[in-house]
Amino acid sequence: NQAAAAGRVRLLRCGVTKIVNCQDTTAPNYFEGDGQFEYCRFPLSHWWRFLDPGCTDSRVRSFFLHFFSFMEAAVSAGQSVLVHCYGGTNRAGAAAIAFLMMSTGMSLLSAWDFCRRRRPVLDVVPDLMDLLAKLEVTLDRGGRHVPAVAAGPSMEARSGKAFSASAQLVPRFSKLEPFQVKQRGIAPPT
């Protein structure tokens, strides 16, 4: 949530140097420009400004491209990423679900269940669930590809198939901890 995003010591203790801010563009990136953290601004709740009800698969992919590329680059490099919004229950949860759908091949329902079991307070609003349903249709039509990034080979190239959530990508959810993506397992906060 926003409190986690504002805690420099805690972020560094958890090994987080990459941060996705899913809030409106007016919300602060607390440590932007200081050199220790890299930010991805992803104002997820504004999706309706970019995508009309009958939008094409390419428009849906382009909406998520920057976010997916940022996440894949970080995960490929073995880095931790904080995906946050104000309360940590809606926008950040929707972003986590979207990334799991793209990177693991999970269905919307499977990704929702996976995240909800780890973060019971997850409460994605209906309009973001509509967006995730559009993404699922797009991914089912062959849109599960994020262009290769400089940080290393794509997840699919490393594994030779759809990325395995249970083997390599383990999101950590609890009532008090921010969503973090780790490439190999979970490192508990110290």
Side-chain angles (χ1 to χ4, degrees), residues 85-103:
C85 58
Y86 184 79
T89 62
N90 178 26
R91 293 166 288 185
I97 290 168
F99 185 69
L100 284 172
M101 289 167 55
M102 186 282 302
S103 64

Side-chain angles (χ1 to χ4, degrees), residues 4-20 29-40 70 79-82:
R8 176 191 300 273
V9 172
R10 186 175 186 184
L11 289 169
L12 293 173
R13 200 174 354 153
C14 291
V16 173
T17 57
K18 308 290 185 193
I19 301 172
V20 177
N29 286 336
Y30 293 99
F31 310 110
E32 190 168 40
D34 78 353
Q36 284 188 298
F37 299 95
E38 182 180 351
Y39 283 87
C40 171
F70 183 87
Q79 299 169 319
S80 294
V81 179
L82 169 71

Side-chain angles (χ1 to χ4, degrees), residues 92-132:
I97 290 168
F99 185 69
L100 284 172
M101 289 167 55
M102 186 282 302
S103 64
T104 68
M106 285 183 182
S107 69
L108 171 55
L109 184 59
S110 295
W112 165 266
D113 184 57
F114 188 84
C115 291
R116 184 68 186 242
R117 281 182 281 140
R118 284 153 183 81
R119 183 148 173 89
V121 297
L122 183 71
D123 187 23
V124 178
V125 297
D127 68 323
L128 289 179
M129 290 301 288
D130 290 345
L131 174 62
L132 293 172

Side-chain angles (χ1 to χ4, degrees), residues 19-161:
I19 301 172
V20 177
N21 185 343
C22 297
Q23 297 179 94
D24 296 339
T25 57
T26 58
N29 286 336
Y30 293 99
F31 310 110
E32 190 168 40
D34 78 353
Q36 284 188 298
F37 299 95
E38 182 180 351
Y39 283 87
C40 171
R41 175 76 69 175
F42 187 49
L44 191 56
S45 62
H46 293 278
W47 71 272
W48 52 270
R49 292 181 182 173
F50 304 98
L51 302 172
D52 56 60
C55 63
T56 63
D57 291 353
S58 64
R59 296 272 320 255
V60 173
R61 276 193 301 274
S62 68
F63 178 76
F64 282 97
L65 182 62
H66 177 67
F67 167 66
F68 286 161
S69 295
F70 183 87
M71 292 292 293
E72 183 170 337
V75 172
S76 295
Q79 299 169 319
S80 294
V81 179
L82 169 71
V83 179
H84 82 91
C85 58
Y86 184 79
T89 62
N90 178 26
R91 293 166 288 185
I97 290 168
F99 185 69
L100 284 172
M101 289 167 55
M102 186 282 302
S103 64
T104 68
M106 285 183 182
S107 69
L108 171 55
L109 184 59
S110 295
W112 165 266
D113 184 57
F114 188 84
C115 291
R116 184 68 186 242
R117 281 182 281 140
R118 284 153 183 81
R119 183 148 173 89
V121 297
L122 183 71
D123 187 23
V124 178
V125 297
D127 68 323
L128 289 179
M129 290 301 288
D130 290 345
L131 174 62
L132 293 172
K134 288 177 187 296
L135 177 63
E136 181 174 42
V137 169
T138 298
L139 296 174
D140 287 346
R141 290 183 184 157
R144 292 187 194 276
H145 174 71
V146 174
V149 291
S154 73
M155 295 174 193
E156 291 169 358
R158 286 194 312 274
S159 65
K161 59 183 176 161

